[in-house]
Amino acid sequence: MQHLIRGRVLGFHADPAVTDDNHRYIEDGAILIEAGKIVAVGDYASLARPDLAETDHRPHLIMPGFIDTHIHFPQVQVIASWGAQLLDWLNTYTFPEESRFNQQGHAPAMADAFLNILTDHGTTTAVAFCSVHPESAEALFSAAHARNMAMVAGKVMMDRNAPPAVLDTAQQGYDDSKALINRWHGKGRQRYAITPRFAITSTPEQMAATGQLVREHPDCHVQTHLSENMDEIEFTLSLYPQARDYLDIYETYDLLSDKLLLGHSIHLRPREIARMAETGSRAVFCPTSNLFLGSGLFDEAGLRAAGVVSGVATDVGGGTSYSMLQTLNEGYKILQLRGQKLSALSAFHWMTRGNAVVLGMADEIGTLAPGSAADLVVLDSRATPAMRLRSDRAETLAEELFILQIMGDDRSIAQTYVAGRAMKA
Ligand SMILES: [Zn+2]
């Protein structure tokens, strides 16, 4: 059955940093939906029919749902834990918390809560690290599949430098990942990401097993971490003394491609940047996490100039907000400290089509092109008294978007649609 959603409609078809012809905005617009997909987008008057069911979201803004390209599902109960930088943070908070995910019933309960929080914040697709336990990924995929929500996820592989309760072995990590790929990759909207946590927690044997999985499943994403923190880099290079640099470890095991998502990518050497550009490997900017853990300032313009394609992400629980609006708020400030500018149009492009391009999924999510999934967010730029006061003086779409980016959060999410279904009561 067809359904018409009415409001001010905004979608991107190109990167604002590349061309001025990048978006389409329709003041009295509508999106026609059928069977979870977008059928048509246009003026309300051209799409309205007496027989159509309608939902009127005026005066709100309707956009493609937000995409979060790096988040840790088992860290929902350690977000906002005090006082540590990366390696301490992992040992003190993260690993003990992740060890709970093989307890009966815990992962399914957390998976439901996690997906509800994502859609409450306007996020309709996420790329998620699960715990080492296959039941954590199983629970997340099951819950996402039941919602018809596109997730990219994988169980972390880690076989050293962490407590035994969160370790697998090279063989077990391979076997468990393989079984999850066979069960979930390509089932409905689910996709598997092969997930070596990072080089510190994987032996060379496990990295070799990872490379084998990648060769056997070249259409799976691969997600890991790269050069987030100076102590991390030093420890990593001590574990792989043959490596020319941090990226070279992943390169040695044939992980570099446009399917590889490298969380953080802050403290990079010129050779690493060049290889990322040559292989299409993606950098993923995690602003709130980089500030919270004191990790460093991402060089968006430098990577772009070198030809590296970057995503943007919350990195909860090192990140401090599930909101992609708040993520781009802090991202704006980090780039300010770098002497770089991020326009509101670029920010909203980045959290929608930009991240879809990063994932190679722009034909399914991130735009309003007919045939795309009807994954949508409805934004209220006057959600709070302070936002209303500010919005009274806003005259352009770019101004309104910037107010949402800087002042907005889950209170600005009036509705979220996943495959055409409204997720908020
Ligand atoms: Zn992370």
Side-chain angles (χ1 to χ4, degrees), residues 243-264:
R244 286 171 290 183
D245 47 47
Y246 197 158
L247 187 76
D248 193 36
I249 299 165
Y250 301 140
E251 189 169 351
T252 298
Y253 297 100
D254 296 327
L255 307 190
L256 273 53
S257 81
D258 61 5
K259 290 287 188 182
L260 176 62
L261 306 168
L262 294 161
H264 305 294

Side-chain angles (χ1 to χ4, degrees), residues 70 72 225 264 315:
H70 184 123
H72 294 263
H225 297 83
H264 305 294
D315 191 31

Side-chain angles (χ1 to χ4, degrees), residues 7-26:
R8 295 186 297 127
V9 171
L10 173 66
F12 291 90
H13 52 262
D15 185 345
V18 173
T19 170
D20 288 336
D21 177 16
N22 52 64
H23 70 274
R24 181 183 183 199
Y25 171 69
I26 310 168

Side-chain angles (χ1 to χ4, degrees), residues 70-72 75 129 224-225 228 263-264 286 289 315-316:
H70 184 123
I71 187 167
H72 294 263
Q75 295 179 19
F129 289 70
T224 188
H225 297 83
E228 174 176 1
H264 305 294
C286 304
S289 172
D315 191 31
V316 164

Side-chain angles (χ1 to χ4, degrees), residues 47-65:
L47 291 173
R49 294 198 317 259
D51 61 308
L52 273 182
E54 262 185 40
T55 305
D56 189 352
H57 287 294
R58 290 177 299 165
H60 300 330
L61 201 54
I62 308 174
M63 289 188 64

